[in-house]
Amino acid sequence: MPAWFTQAQTCHGGLPRGKNHQTNIIPLELISVIVICAVLYLKLIRWLETRTQHRLVAKARLRREAALTEMKTITDQIKEMENYKSKIDSVLLLTLHDLSKSLSKGDVSPSYVLHAYLEKAQDATKKYNCITEFLPECQEQLADLRSSNKGLLYGIPISIKENINYKGHDSTCGLKKFLNKPASEDSVIVQVLKKQGAIPFVKTNVPQTLLSFECSNPIYGQTINPHDTKRSAGGSSGGEAALIAAGGSILGIGTDIGGSIRFPAACCGICAFKPTANRISKIGLSGILPGQKTFESMVGPLAKDVDSLALCMKALLCEDMFQLDPTVPPIPFDNKIYTSIKRMRIGYFESDGYWIPTPSMKRAVMETKELLEEAGHTLISFTPPRMYYAMNEIIFPGLGADKGLTFVESLKGEVIDPSLKFQMSICTMPEALKKLLYFLLKPFSPRIADAFKALIGVKSVEELWKLHVSAMTYREEYIKAWGTHDIDVLLCPSVGPAFCIGCAGKLLAASSNTIIYNLLNFPAGVVPVTKVTQEDEEELMDYQGYRNDSWDKTFKKAVSGGIGLPLAVQCVALPWQDELCLCFMREVEKLVKNKTGIKENLEKSCPNVHSSGAKLLESKYYSDDSF
């Protein structure tokens, strides 16, 4: 019998126990061996998971590279055709409206148009990392166009955001767990686009989980801004905005739950529109918060001008949409409202009182206000009701109703993108620590303190229902204030300029000017109106924000050094008045263009990017060191 077993039978006084009192005590040496083996086993499992993730991501990147090579092969083939260069250049200079007319008349071939944008999209992706997938089915669709009826978007190549389902292709939302799980069918919006003759040809990059103003994920890397390679393209529709700004697409489709269409469009100097929720079908959109009901997410278009947005909306709001998704109200696009030239009563504000805008953001609003007044419109000062209450009593509690568990669960087993680490730390923070931070910060930074309190989460179904009632009551209050001022539409700031890479993850609260219209379910869009000046930058030196707290300091750092970057304003209307909102956007765009006297074209929308852009992507955002 082993010595250690004999010793284990000895009583505390050194006397042997009786037969009925014998016990088997595991020795310390064996316990140590078991613990070491367990630790090694866990490390092995973790190593195997990491290795598997490496392989999945590597395969996804190889697929993307193969797709880009296929795109190049296709464009190289057509380059051999006569007068290719001159025809391609002429195609890229056309607006969507003019291109659509030329295609319908047969003045230009859909094949030339598709291949022109394929080549341009390749170039944009090499510089700014916009595309996640090429959709080779576009070639088959191109062939089928010859025998189909000409819809409103006949022959128009369209880019779609990565989370919009396209049969046979992944919608990963930047998450490894969704790799190699292709959609079984097209989303409703893709089906309608195809029926209208549009040709979806690429999918575009997104932030991991879609819940970030950044546009970066561990699978496809960081999308950078075409105007400045040190700046983010915005999120979550950042790949779309960057691709369109760079000329690689003439029309794109994105999604918006807190500014995810509008913010990247403003960062990249293009136009974008978030319709009233459920005006367009959302069947076939991927996301990580499907049960969240405090805010209305929406799908909408991005383009370089407002007429393109309107044409897209007109094409989508058709019988095919209403039949494929009977929950969408059968309300066709009202072109009479969109093209109306009547004078409007326009409310405006520089600041919502919760997030203080920069000098450049204020100037963008006030200069636009002056242009509108000169054009004969009536401008009325408007104060958004109780924004502090809306953010801390409805929006933040709505975002954190589940205590962030859904967000954390979606990232389980994933390599977490650096842009999400701050959000992850907040969501995984113990409730007791959030309460402690609330009490400690309240005297010095009440806005941040109240945010910590709000993110503790909803503790019961009853409390969640009360939150939804508060949201409905606040919506009624906002609409009543709108009616009291007797305004048709609202002019307000858009966040800008584009943030320096690495700052967006810490500035979710800066979305107050955009997320409020998801809460209210108001249609809203952005229009570029000016650029950051030297004077703006000098005034920014004195920026204090709300309380000069850490949020304000991070925001100041994020937007500093932005001379020459685009600035936009936001245009808003009441629910279901989407055409009026677009009409207002069109008026702003027209007045700005008349003032500058410059008809911007696709090639001049972005300054030349430093040659270091491609190297920056390769070295920083595609390095395996990030895993």
Side-chain angles (χ1 to χ4, degrees):
M1 184 177 294
W4 61 264
F5 184 79
T6 305
Q7 293 171 4
Q9 298 184 68
T10 304
C11 67
H12 290 286
L15 299 174
R17 291 181 181 272
K19 183 176 181 181
N20 295 331
H21 297 284
Q22 290 182 352
T23 59
N24 295 332
I25 301 176
I26 300 175
L28 292 177
E29 292 89 344
L30 184 58
I31 293 175
S32 299
V33 170
I34 292 172
V35 170
I36 291 171
C37 289
V39 170
L40 290 174
Y41 175 76
L42 291 174
K43 285 184 175 293
L44 176 63
I45 293 298
R46 178 58 182 162
W47 178 80
L48 289 172
E49 288 178 351
T50 302
R51 189 182 180 190
T52 300
Q53 182 149 317
H54 269 286
R55 287 177 174 175
L56 284 171
V57 171
K59 287 181 180 179
R61 291 181 178 179
L62 286 173
R63 281 200 305 270
R64 202 253 296 262
E65 291 304 315
L68 292 174
T69 301
E70 185 177 359
M71 289 171 68
K72 186 176 187 305
T73 300
I74 292 169
T75 53
D76 285 346
Q77 289 173 353
I78 199 170
K79 278 181 181 180
E80 298 175 4
M81 299 176 69
E82 188 178 358
N83 296 327
Y84 168 83
K85 183 62 179 174
S86 60
K87 288 182 179 180
I88 292 298
D89 288 344
S90 63
V91 163
L92 294 172
L93 290 173
L94 293 175
T95 65
L96 178 61
H97 187 264
D98 291 338
L99 180 58
S100 180
K101 279 186 175 181
S102 297
L103 283 163
S104 296
K105 291 179 181 178
D107 295 338
V108 63
S109 164
S111 177
Y112 270 110
V113 176
L114 175 61
H115 292 97
Y117 279 100
L118 279 174
E119 183 175 27
K120 196 70 175 176
Q122 291 174 65
D123 183 59
T125 294
K126 288 176 183 177
K127 294 177 181 176
Y128 318 118
N129 192 32
C130 317
I131 297 173
T132 60
E133 274 196 277
F134 168 55
L135 306 176
E137 295 85 350
C138 66
Q139 292 288 99
E140 298 173 15
Q141 193 184 346
L142 186 64
D144 293 339
L145 280 182
R146 301 186 184 97
S147 59
S148 64
N149 295 325
K150 293 183 179 180
L152 290 177
L153 295 173
Y154 172 77
I156 301 295
I158 290 187
S159 49
I160 59 174
K161 190 174 178 179
E162 200 265 0
N163 69 311
I164 298 174
N165 286 353
Y166 191 100
K167 185 178 179 179
H169 295 268
D170 293 341
S171 295
T172 68
C173 301
L175 296 166
K176 173 261 299 180
K177 67 182 68 177
F178 296 137
L179 280 170
N180 303 321
K181 295 181 180 179
S184 59
E185 61 180 357
D186 289 340
S187 58
V188 167
I189 193 169
V190 167
Q191 293 181 57
V192 176
L193 287 169
K194 287 181 177 180
K195 287 178 180 292
Q196 287 286 9
I199 306 175
F201 73 113
V202 291
K203 298 188 84 173
T204 53
N205 204 25
V206 295
Q208 190 178 34
T209 73
L210 308 181
L211 301 177
S212 176
F213 271 169
E214 196 61 82
C215 190
S216 176
N217 64 75
I219 302 173
Y220 300 112
Q222 172 90 47
T223 298
I224 56 178
N225 195 305
H227 295 271
D228 185 342
T229 58
K230 295 179 181 179
R231 304 254 168 185
S232 168
S236 60
S237 306
E240 275 301 321
L243 183 64
I244 294 168
S249 176
I250 197 168
L251 180 64
I253 305 295
T255 59
D256 189 311
I257 195 173
S260 293
I261 287 175
R262 291 159 287 159
F263 178 63
C267 289
C268 294
I270 63 171
C271 300
F273 180 60
K274 178 200 78 69
T276 305
N278 216 42
R279 189 78 194 269
I280 297 175
S281 175
K282 292 182 280 187
I283 294 176
L285 305 183
S286 298
I288 69 158
L289 299 177
Q292 189 282 130
K293 295 297 181 183
T294 306
F295 318 101
E296 296 281 5
S297 64
M298 199 52 215
V299 58
L302 300 88
K304 65 176 183 176
D305 58 62
V306 179
D307 275 344
S308 299
L309 305 178
L311 179 60
C312 183
M313 290 295 295
K314 186 177 181 179
L316 291 171
L317 298 175
C318 62
E319 284 302 317
D320 290 316
M321 174 74 73
F322 309 143
Q323 288 176 10
L324 287 166
D325 186 356
T327 67
V328 174
I331 307 172
F333 189 82
D334 193 330
N335 203 58
K336 289 184 179 178
I337 294 177
Y338 173 64
T339 57
S340 172
I341 57 172
K342 72 171 187 177
R343 298 291 178 261
M344 291 180 277
R345 290 177 59 83
I346 304 168
Y348 75 93
F349 64 84
E350 292 179 282
S351 173
D352 63 7
Y354 183 82
W355 198 276
I356 309 302
T358 62
S360 61
M361 291 167 62
K362 290 182 179 180
R363 181 177 60 80
V365 171
M366 296 312 293
E367 286 184 357
T368 305
K369 167 188 173 287
E370 292 172 7
L371 289 175
L372 290 163
E373 284 178 325
E374 291 169 5
H377 300 283
T378 302
L379 276 291
I380 300 150
S381 179
F382 179 84
T383 302
R386 299 198 297 158
M387 276 298 299
Y388 196 97
Y389 163 81
M391 288 296 291
N392 288 313
E393 299 296 328
I394 303 175
I395 291 175
F396 280 140
L399 280 173
D402 66 341
K403 301 182 181 181
L405 295 179
T406 305
F407 173 77
V408 173
E409 181 65 24
S410 73
L411 290 168
K412 188 176 181 180
E414 301 279 338
V415 171
I416 299 174
D417 192 84
S419 64
L420 286 185
K421 288 186 176 179
F422 179 78
Q423 289 171 245
M424 190 68 170
S425 66
I426 298 297
C427 290
T428 54
M429 187 179 290
E431 182 177 325
L433 182 55
K434 290 178 184 176
K435 289 180 178 179
L436 177 61
L437 288 171
Y438 164 72
F439 287 110
L440 292 176
L441 292 172
K442 189 67 175 177
F444 314 102
S445 187
R447 184 177 57 165
I448 299 178
D450 288 335
F452 272 113
K453 182 181 179 182
L455 290 172
I456 288 174
V458 175
K459 298 182 179 179
S460 66
V461 173
E462 181 184 12
E463 197 172 317
L464 180 63
W465 286 357
K466 286 180 179 179
L467 178 67
H468 291 165
V469 170
S470 297
M472 290 187 288
T473 303
Y474 181 76
R475 185 181 299 120
E476 293 168 2
E477 181 182 346
Y478 205 107
I479 292 173
K480 184 177 180 180
W482 191 292
T484 301
H485 287 79
D486 189 24
I487 58 176
D488 300 312
V489 289
L490 182 63
L491 172 71
C492 54
S494 175
V495 182
F499 294 168
C500 293
I501 289 173
C503 293
K506 302 174 183 178
L507 291 171
L508 183 62
S511 66
S512 66
N513 277 311
T514 54
I515 198 171
I516 188 67
Y517 301 116
N518 295 86
L519 175 69
L520 298 171
N521 191 22
F522 287 9
V526 293
V527 181
V529 294
T530 187
K531 295 180 179 180
V532 179
T533 65
Q534 179 65 45
E535 291 75 17
D536 293 330
E537 196 68 18
E538 291 171 359
E539 289 183 37
L540 183 63
M541 298 295 291
D542 298 322
Y543 177 81
Q544 298 291 310
Y546 186 80
R547 278 245 179 153
N548 201 29
D549 54 26
S550 63
W551 282 356
D552 292 322
K553 291 175 181 177
T554 302
F555 184 55
K556 182 177 179 179
K557 176 185 175 183
V559 299
S560 293
I563 296 174
L565 293 179
L567 293 165
V569 293
Q570 191 172 195
C571 303
V572 185
L574 290 174
W576 305 108
Q577 295 186 10
D578 302 68
E579 292 88 345
L580 180 60
C581 185
L582 285 162
C583 175
F584 179 33
M585 293 170 65
R586 182 169 173 254
E587 178 71 359
V588 170
E589 179 185 57
K590 181 188 74 175
L591 295 174
V592 170
K593 285 185 176 180
N594 287 345
K595 178 187 175 184
T596 59
I598 298 174
K599 186 76 173 179
E600 292 188 355
N601 60 57
L602 196 58
E603 291 299 310
K604 295 181 181 179
S605 63
C606 304
N608 291 328
V609 177
H610 303 295
S611 60
S612 60
K615 292 181 179 179
L616 179 66
L617 278 172
E618 183 180 352
S619 63
K620 186 174 182 180
Y621 305 112
Y622 284 89
S623 171
D624 285 339
D625 293 341
S626 60
F627 292 92

